[in-house]
Structures are given as C-alpha cells and as structure tokens.
Amino acid sequence: QVQLVESGGGLVQAGGSLRLSCAASGRSFVSYVMGWFRQAPGKEREFVAAINWSDGTTYYADSVKGRFTISRRNAKNTVYLQMNSLKPEDTAVYYCAARLVPTKVCDYWGQGTQVTVSS
C-alpha cells in the first residue's frame, strides 16, 4: 500500500522557518516526480515545488523561489520542503504528491499538514 505521510507543519511568525517532511512508502519512487502543493482557505490547490527523484531536478512556483528549497533523501525515502522567510500568505494546508514521469496527473497524495504564518 502506497503512503505519503507529511509532517512538520505548525504555527510560525512571519519571517520564520519550517521544514516539512514527506515519508514515502509502499513502492519505489525512482520514476516519479515528488511535489508539494498547498491550499489556502477559499482558494484552489496550487503547485509549490517539485523534485525529480532520479536526477534531483527541481521546480518552483514563482511565489516561493528563493525562499523554499525542496530536497530528497534517498536512504530514507523522504522528501523535504525547507521554508524560509515565511509570509502570512504562505498559510495553507501543504500536501505531498507523487507523479509518474512523464504523466501529468499525480497518482498519490498525502493527507496534508497545516502551516500557519502569523503577522
């Protein structure tokens, strides 16, 4: 059974940092792109960042470039999202997802973790 389990969310003041983790299990993800998405109240889910598991290529939304860093640790089958210089508009539920290359649809999703940034 494939599982993506997020952790690391919480409440932080503007300008602070958080690191989210996504523990992946149940299959090999070497042919997948792992991504982070977020959804704020009343808004649609949006792309945040992604990483190609096999070669480490990364992708970022313009709104987080220079502030967020996505990485992976193969030995732990875990993907991380380091979030620095957080802003109140980063407040959302953050989801981890996996997409088989080269398809365009995510096959697997985590349950989400809440990130709240106070001003």
Side-chain angles (χ1 to χ4, degrees):
Q1 180 183 0
V2 174
Q3 281 192 310
L4 302 179
V5 180
E6 303 99 332
S7 61
L11 173 64
V12 64
Q13 288 189 331
S17 298
L18 281 175
R19 189 178 79 157
L20 305 183
S21 299
C22 172
S25 62
R27 65 161 304 132
S28 169
F29 289 90
V30 68
S31 298
Y32 281 73
V33 171
M34 306 297 292
W36 288 95
F37 294 77
R38 67 187 182 187
Q39 187 168 20
K43 294 189 176 181
E44 293 189 354
R45 188 174 297 186
E46 65 175 1
F47 168 75
V48 176
I51 185 167
N52 188 309
W53 197 287
S54 63
D55 65 11
T57 303
T58 57
Y59 311 86
Y60 294 95
D62 288 342
S63 58
V64 306
K65 277 181 184 175
R67 300 188 298 123
F68 291 10
T69 303
I70 189 170
S71 62
R72 73 201 190 298
R73 192 163 182 181
N74 291 349
K76 291 194 171 185
N77 238 29
T78 300
V79 176
Y80 303 97
L81 185 68
Q82 178 67 43
M83 306 186 295
N84 299 328
S85 302
L86 282 162
K87 306 175 181 179
E89 51 263 44
D90 294 318
T91 295
V93 177
Y94 283 70
Y95 298 91
C96 178
R99 172 174 66 84
L100 179 65
V101 178
T103 66
K104 302 295 185 184
V105 178
C106 289
D107 301 289
Y108 306 108
W109 290 87
Q111 82 288 351
T113 185
Q114 176 70 47
V115 171
T116 303
V117 184
S118 63
S119 56

